Amino acid sequence: MQNFLAVFTGTEASMGRWQQLSEAERKQREEAGMAAWEAWGRRHADAIVDDGAPLGKTKRVTAQGVADVRNDLAAYTVVRAESLEAAARMFEGHPHFAIFPGDGVDVMPCLPIPGRD
């Protein structure tokens, strides 16, 4: 079994579409989305290593200093699976993009650090 980082993505455009919904429709979708997300979590409880969290505003640090940046990263979680394919399949139809305004979930293996066991 291997760990995989799942990064939930969302663009400004998708958030703009969400903001165009009426307050009542957003509230209804939020309730349905959270219920669906919790159900997803229960279905995959044995595979979830770290529930993760939503991500906030970003600062990028480079050799030139610190700057505010916008990226498409919205949240993360860590799961354990037999393969990248199996990990990715866990997120098919996920409420992040099926109900909420998210665009997708990028899934990638957490690789070992060279020289460490």
Side-chain angles (χ1 to χ4, degrees), residues 2-8 47 49-53 55 73 75-81 84 87-88 91 105-111:
Q2 182 177 2
N3 287 349
F4 295 87
L5 175 66
V7 179
F8 299 83
V49 175
D50 180 348
D51 287 326
L55 301 171
L73 308 179
Y76 78 95
T77 193
V78 178
V79 298
R80 180 167 291 151
L84 176 57
F91 295 91
V105 181
D106 293 348
V107 181
M108 63 213 81
C110 298
L111 302 174

Side-chain angles (χ1 to χ4, degrees), residues 35-112:
W37 201 306
E38 289 170 6
W40 179 90
R42 286 190 299 276
R43 274 194 316 278
H44 298 289
D46 291 343
I48 296 173
V49 175
D50 180 348
D51 287 326
L55 301 171
K57 295 185 183 214
T58 303
K59 297 271 188 193
R60 179 165 293 146
V61 182
T62 66
Q64 289 71 43
V66 178
D68 292 329
V69 296
R70 164 89 174 69
N71 59 42
D72 293 340
L73 308 179
Y76 78 95
T77 193
V78 178
V79 298
R80 180 167 291 151
E82 292 290 335
S83 67
L84 176 57
E85 182 73 22
R89 291 207 177 275
M90 283 186 220
F91 295 91
E92 289 181 315
H94 193 281
H96 172 68
F97 54 82
I99 299 171
F100 287 117
D103 293 302
V105 181
D106 293 348
V107 181
M108 63 213 81
C110 298
L111 302 174

